[in-house]
Amino acid sequence: MTKLKQIAIALPVAAIISALAACSSANDGVAGSEGSGADGSRARLYNSPEDMASDSSAVIVGTVSGTRTVDDIDATTDFTLSDLRVDKVLKGGFAEGASITVRQLGSKEQAPPATLLKPGSEYLLYLTASGLDGDLAKQYYVTGGNAGLYAASANSTASTRANLAADDAGFAQVDPEPGENLPESLTAESALG
């Protein structure tokens, strides 16, 4: 095998390994099974929202407008891409109302290691730039694979997009990780610490 062929094979494999390391916790294998906990462990556990915000390119409140499954790294590994409308910017260079794409490993057909974002749902998200090439460079991963994923709380009194983006709207951690010291719930006001 030529050196060029070896490199062509090694690059997609390295990208998948990096994605798996970032998302190495596991839930019960059912997409969207919120609060299922984790069987694996992440590469880094966070002690505070400040630590997680420091590792993040952006922190936003957003609403998922749609999802799709792609296999754009290799032909066998599914990624779910979620399009989000940015409702509030807490960190990062987005404009409110902008559209961004969040990448998550797995799909409904391939058990994801973390809960997948749901269309129509609102989230407080800590995001990390994908680090991928070309148009994929414009996409983001959830920081820590699942650490930076907080969903609008069922007990939150907010019921409209404007209220969910309010500083005091509540968001609950979706996939808590044993041994991590992140709060079970956050508001936009407390998200940066």
Side-chain angles (χ1 to χ4, degrees):
M1 182 179 298
T2 69
K3 189 73 164 173
L4 187 56
K5 284 183 181 177
Q6 290 173 332
I7 292 171
I9 292 171
L11 287 176
V13 171
I16 291 169
I17 291 170
S18 293
L20 289 172
C23 307
S24 63
S25 66
N27 66 16
D28 64 4
V30 178
S33 57
E34 296 193 29
S36 61
D39 297 325
S41 62
R42 285 197 308 273
R44 175 165 185 204
L45 297 178
Y46 289 96
N47 288 315
S48 69
E50 298 94 347
D51 289 345
M52 196 162 46
S54 176
D55 274 1
S56 300
S57 308
V59 181
I60 65 155
V61 173
T63 303
V64 179
S65 56
T67 62
R68 62 195 180 282
T69 301
V70 298
D71 55 0
D72 55 2
I73 301 291
D74 67 37
T76 60
T77 305
D78 284 355
F79 285 87
T80 296
L81 303 184
S82 298
D83 296 317
L84 282 91
R85 177 189 57 245
V86 177
D87 298 326
K88 185 172 186 80
V89 179
L90 304 170
K91 177 184 176 181
F94 302 118
E96 290 184 10
S99 180
I100 63 168
T101 302
V102 175
R103 287 180 79 83
Q104 292 180 282
L105 183 63
S107 67
K108 291 179 182 178
E109 292 76 31
Q110 289 183 3
T115 298
L116 297 175
L117 300 177
K118 294 180 185 177
S121 295
E122 296 83 15
Y123 296 94
L124 168 64
L125 292 166
Y126 294 77
L127 300 172
T128 302
S130 72
L132 299 171
D133 293 326
D135 286 341
L136 303 183
K138 298 175 188 173
Q139 298 174 357
Y140 293 84
Y141 288 109
V142 175
T143 300
N146 64 341
L149 178 56
Y150 283 76
S153 301
N155 62 0
S156 176
T157 58
S159 61
T160 66
R161 186 180 91 206
N163 288 340
L164 285 166
D167 286 343
D168 62 350
F171 295 87
Q173 190 176 30
V174 174
D175 289 326
E177 184 81 20
E180 191 158 54
N181 295 318
L182 291 173
E184 291 179 12
S185 63
L186 287 171
T187 63
E189 186 175 67
S190 65
L192 301 180

